[in-house]
Amino acid sequence: MIRLLKIEFKKVAYNKTFWILLGLYALILGTIFFGIQSVINEFMIDAGKKAPIPVTKISLYEFPAIWQNLTYVAGYFKIILAIIVIIFITNEYSYRTIRQNIITGLSRWDFLLSKLLMILVISAGATMFLFIIGLILGFTNTPEVTLSMMFVNLTFVFTYFLELFAFMVFALFLGILTKRSGLTIGLLFLYFYIIEKYIYYKLPDGWGDYLPLRSIGNLIDIPNTSLMKIFGLNFRTFVSVQDVIVVFVYSFIFIYLMRLTLKKSDL
Amino acid sequence: MSEEVLVIDKLTKRYGKLKAVDELSITIEKGNIYGILGPNGSGKTTTLGIVLDAINATSGSFKWFGETPSKAMRKRVSAILETPVFYPYMSAVKNLEIIADIKEASYDQIPDVLKTVDLLARKNSKFRTYSLGMKQRLAIAAALIGNPEVLIFDEPTNGLDPHGIAEIRNLIKKIANEGLTIVLASHLLDEVQKVCTHVVVLEKGKKLFAGKVDEVLGSSILVEIAGPEMDKIEAVLNKSEFVVKVERDDKMFIAELKTGIDSSAINKSLVEQGITISHISLRKKSLENYFLELLAESHDKTS
């Protein structure tokens, strides 16, 4: 396991594209998290001046609500991580290094396992990044911090980890299926933003929630804000066990399909 | 006693209707240098791809070191199939480290193998900056990592200039002297003749011939002879009991000797007649002729 991870780490460590995309991901998330609150508040205060009823200053970053808020927003940017995964798996095909890796003595399962381990590490790293940002913002925005407030909603952080992992497993699956980077990235966007949404509306009520990317997206629901409560909307403020199970099942199915594809293909 | 390194048994690979490899059986024994010879598309790379697990066979089986294939056994075998393959954005050393990691070999060997292929000075350059010859040499260096018992080279001199070709051939010979088993796939007859001890000839995925290179060529020895008195030489050669056939080739005679006779016998009889010669040398019968004969025979059979 360690050996496979070491091999995989070497493959990415010397690659500029990897660091650029990873940096971009961190930069985008950092900018949004550190910048968005002041933008929203300025807007709200501005609106409050003219409003007949007083608008309270809102904070997205108070413990414990912060964990759902952050993980929900960060969820939109997991596509960048998926692109990293796609570039790395399809590079192995275009350089033909997958073939050389096998010839040198890696089994096909080892090869797949090394990619899955890397996805696990990226998921863990990105989750850690979010957790640290959450702690910083939480401490600076919560008037009185207690330990239970800090950790009561940490399930969202673990769920975020699962969300990233499952999404990247899906990206890896597409990459192994098509073997070409441009095609795979295009396909991911097409499927994510159009095809699955179309199928969702075509399916009977409730069924669409079991589509693979939809179920990954469902893990963390839209956070409730006071504004939404005014409109009578109420979203789920917890992670449903059923969603977690569905996502696990999908991950296993995709891993199994990748294993089968690799086993049967001529490299 | 010879030890069987690789036994291929009735291997078949179909691509749709096309049979790339057709019931092929080959045995590779320890310590020899095998040339797998065949025109492009004869199934050389496919066969090697199958025994290296890169390609799945349609039917048939193969055994490495008498065992069914496993990860452990593949660490004893190194191979370069077709073009040298490395991560272009990484240096030679880092690429070799990955190879060593996969083979679970130590990094200590890396400077040695780079020295063997004369790339030590460029070890930190990125692979994509290498010339084709350097890439081929790096591939050979990579193949040496982990002290494999068997080396497989597929068209190792493809696309190289004459200097590069000579370099690679010398390298392979050097490696062969260390007692490794080598399998060299090539469509270049000359290459196989110069480097290999054994030859397997393939066409359309079938085995046409397998045997020792010497046996193919050794059935008749050709000797080139020249001297100031060509007429006298010709007379002696024509009368000699050792000679089967004499041909004149430009400024020399080419005498085909009877089996078991070597060139010293001819030299002796010429000297005994008081004839001085300026040139006498062995010319091996070209593998090319033999190969063309084989191919012609197989075409006769099929047509």
Side-chain angles (χ1 to χ4, degrees):
Chain A
M1 293 276 259
I2 303 278
R3 176 176 69 105
L4 294 178
L5 205 53
K6 198 170 144 196
I7 293 169
E8 209 52 35
F9 186 72
K10 215 164 260 165
K11 288 179 190 173
V12 297
Y14 298 95
N15 190 288
K16 272 189 207 140
T17 315
F18 175 77
W19 293 114
I20 289 171
L21 284 175
L22 210 59
L24 189 71
Y25 177 77
L27 191 74
I28 290 176
L29 279 194
T31 314
I32 286 177
F33 289 152
F34 285 103
I36 199 167
Q37 177 162 272
S38 55
V39 174
I40 289 179
N41 276 336
E42 251 171 62
F43 175 78
M44 295 298 275
I45 289 163
D46 212 36
K49 282 175 190 162
K50 294 165 197 161
I53 45 163
V55 177
T56 48
K57 199 177 164 191
I58 60 153
S59 177
L60 300 168
Y61 300 142
E62 269 180 45
F63 288 128
I66 183 173
W67 298 122
Q68 187 176 4
N69 294 340
L70 288 191
T71 51
Y72 177 76
V73 174
Y76 281 100
F77 300 95
K78 59 181 182 284
I79 196 119
I80 298 176
L81 299 179
I83 289 172
I84 295 180
V85 170
I86 288 172
I87 288 175
F88 270 84
I89 184 65
T90 52
N91 268 353
E92 299 271 12
Y93 284 98
S94 59
Y95 300 152
R96 306 199 79 182
T97 40
I98 176 169
R99 188 192 201 206
Q100 190 62 46
N101 281 181
I102 303 296
I103 288 171
T104 307
L106 222 55
S107 74
R108 288 159 192 237
W109 170 240
D110 278 347
F111 182 84
L112 179 57
L113 196 59
S114 70
K115 297 289 170 219
L116 291 173
L117 285 171
M118 198 61 196
I119 288 179
L120 215 56
V121 169
I122 295 174
S123 307
T127 306
M128 200 43 117
F129 178 70
L130 181 126
F131 179 66
I132 291 166
I133 288 185
L135 284 183
I136 296 169
L137 287 173
F139 270 111
T140 49
N141 287 282
T142 314
E144 276 174 73
V145 183
T146 63
L147 224 69
S148 64
M149 274 168 79
M150 269 171 67
F151 297 119
V152 72
N153 266 350
L154 274 186
T155 21
F156 284 105
V157 176
F158 292 112
T159 311
Y160 177 64
F161 170 77
L162 177 65
E163 181 183 347
L164 293 183
F165 178 76
F167 195 75
M168 283 190 269
V169 164
F170 182 75
L172 186 68
F173 169 71
L174 282 188
I176 284 180
L177 218 58
T178 66
K179 299 172 182 149
R180 288 178 188 86
S181 66
L183 186 66
T184 313
I185 293 171
L187 209 63
L188 179 68
F189 275 87
L190 193 69
Y191 181 77
F192 192 26
Y193 294 112
I194 297 167
I195 297 175
E196 210 187 73
K197 291 201 164 40
Y198 179 77
I199 300 172
Y200 179 82
Y201 290 112
K202 284 282 162 187
L203 285 173
D205 253 9
W207 285 72
D209 284 329
Y210 294 100
L211 290 166
L213 296 190
R214 185 89 196 178
S215 62
I216 293 171
N218 279 350
L219 284 171
I220 297 169
D221 207 351
I222 305 171
N224 289 315
T225 62
S226 42
L227 196 67
M228 285 163 176
K229 279 175 186 154
I230 295 172
F231 290 107
L233 292 168
N234 206 2
F235 293 97
R236 216 176 52 217
T237 55
F238 56 91
V239 176
S240 111
V241 178
Q242 191 193 324
D243 286 347
V244 171
I245 291 170
V246 170
V247 170
F248 261 110
V249 169
Y250 268 120
S251 302
F252 277 115
I253 290 174
F254 287 128
I255 292 170
Y256 178 74
L257 288 177
M258 284 189 269
R259 189 176 182 168
L260 213 64
T261 311
L262 276 178
K263 201 175 168 185
K264 295 209 165 170
S265 59
D266 291 335
L267 303 169
Chain B
M1 202 192 86
S2 58
E3 212 176 298
E4 286 169 351
V5 168
L6 171 65
V7 179
I8 298 175
D9 189 27
K10 289 184 187 153
L11 209 60
T12 298
K13 176 66 183 178
R14 280 173 187 274
Y15 291 108
K17 278 185 180 173
L18 178 85
K19 274 186 185 172
V21 180
D22 192 358
E23 300 244 325
L24 184 66
S25 299
I26 298 174
T27 302
I28 302 291
E29 286 174 350
K30 196 179 170 178
N32 297 327
I33 309 178
Y34 288 82
I36 299 189
L37 201 53
N40 291 328
S42 57
K44 302 183 297 279
T45 304
T46 310
T47 306
L48 295 178
I50 292 170
V51 298
L52 293 164
D53 195 32
I55 297 171
N56 293 305
T58 308
S59 65
S61 66
F62 61 92
K63 280 186 173 182
W64 280 106
F65 310 104
E67 291 166 36
T68 36
S70 70
K71 263 197 279 181
M73 129 267 128
R74 283 236 318 288
K75 297 215 164 74
R76 297 163 70 182
V77 181
S78 278
I80 311 163
L81 281 197
E82 295 170 300
T83 47
V85 163
F86 292 97
Y87 295 92
Y89 54 85
M90 283 165 67
S91 69
V93 170
K94 293 295 164 195
N95 267 301
L96 293 185
E97 282 181 12
I98 287 187
I99 303 277
D101 286 336
I102 294 176
K103 287 202 169 277
E104 291 180 275
S106 141
Y107 293 167
D108 300 346
Q109 243 190 324
I110 293 173
D112 296 340
V113 296
L114 281 171
K115 200 174 165 215
T116 307
V117 300
D118 200 21
L119 281 176
L120 208 51
R122 290 288 303 273
K123 66 177 180 159
N124 291 321
S125 306
K126 288 194 166 69
F127 177 69
R128 64 160 166 258
T129 68
Y130 275 26
S131 70
L132 185 59
M134 291 164 77
K135 287 177 178 176
Q136 288 285 15
R137 268 151 48 207
L138 185 64
I140 291 180
L144 293 174
I145 284 178
N147 301 314
E149 294 158 56
V150 186
L151 285 172
I152 295 177
F153 297 120
D154 184 15
E155 306 280 4
T157 58
N158 229 1
L160 294 180
D161 59 19
H163 176 68
I165 292 175
E167 264 181 4
I168 298 291
R169 280 185 192 159
N170 286 335
L171 254 175
I172 292 175
K173 279 185 191 163
K174 196 161 118 189
I175 296 162
N177 284 336
E178 285 159 26
L180 284 103
T181 310
I182 298 179
V183 179
L184 175 78
S186 180
H187 67 281
L188 302 172
L189 299 141
D190 177 51
E191 182 161 283
V192 169
Q193 186 169 358
K194 279 187 177 143
V195 177
C196 301
T197 58
H198 290 61
V199 61
V200 178
V201 180
L202 298 187
E203 204 213 15
K204 290 179 185 158
K206 284 194 168 127
K207 182 169 73 181
L208 290 185
F209 172 83
K212 286 186 178 174
V213 173
D214 284 350
E215 277 169 12
V216 177
L217 309 168
S219 53
S220 55
I221 293 172
L222 299 179
V223 182
E224 298 172 351
I225 301 160
E229 300 161 293
M230 292 298 270
D231 296 343
K232 284 186 183 173
I233 293 173
E234 187 172 18
V236 172
L237 290 177
N238 276 331
K239 271 185 277 174
S240 170
E241 54 186 304
F242 307 132
V243 177
V244 182
K245 202 167 77 181
V246 182
E247 273 175 44
R248 182 146 191 177
D249 177 16
D250 199 17
K251 286 174 183 165
M252 60 176 77
F253 290 107
I254 299 175
E256 188 176 336
L257 304 190
K258 280 184 185 163
T259 316
I261 304 296
D262 66 15
S263 56
S264 62
I266 294 293
N267 194 5
K268 201 177 163 197
S269 55
L270 285 165
V271 172
E272 276 167 6
Q273 304 275 331
I275 300 169
T276 49
I277 49 172
S278 58
H279 172 85
I280 178 162
S281 86
L282 271 179
R283 178 194 275 189
K284 281 200 167 179
K285 188 177 163 188
S286 155
L287 194 57
E288 189 163 352
N289 297 336
Y290 186 75
F291 182 68
L292 292 173
E293 279 167 28
L294 272 177
L295 286 182
E297 273 174 35
S298 96
H299 287 304
D300 287 346
K301 270 183 227 163
T302 50
S303 59

